[in-house]
Amino acid sequence: MKVKKLEITNFKGVGHAEYDFSDVTTFCGVNASGKTTVADAWIWLWCDKDYNVSSNPAIRTIGNEDAIPTVTATCDV
């Protein structure tokens, strides 16, 4: 399976973001730039856990607890 795109909405600190993946994708950035949020979104999508493999992770956007978090992946199988 090859991940082509990851779309995150109302997930933790992300209102909406789309990530397109090529053959090799590297995430880098300063602290608090969202790297772990992308990893959390991916793991939550497949396992319903967070980056630390904890069940029932806190994924709602702070201050917008009524919004429904969604993570969508587009993959080639």
Side-chain angles (χ1 to χ4, degrees):
M1 175 177 70
K2 179 179 177 182
V3 180
K4 297 181 78 174
K5 180 178 168 183
L6 189 67
E7 185 174 354
I8 302 171
T9 305
N10 298 322
F11 189 92
K12 290 190 163 189
V14 177
H16 181 81
E18 292 183 20
Y19 302 92
D20 292 316
F21 298 98
S22 60
D23 289 335
V24 177
T25 301
T26 303
F27 276 96
C28 60
V30 298
N31 289 346
S33 62
K35 301 177 303 289
T36 301
T37 299
V38 173
D40 277 341
W42 178 253
I43 295 168
W44 181 72
L45 175 66
W46 293 104
C47 307
D48 194 25
K49 298 189 184 295
D50 66 7
Y51 187 75
N52 295 316
V53 196
S54 300
S55 296
N56 197 20
I59 58 169
R60 296 198 182 271
T61 305
I62 296 172
N64 195 7
E65 287 81 10
D66 293 333
I68 299 172
T70 59
V71 178
T72 306
T74 303
C75 305
D76 278 344
V77 180

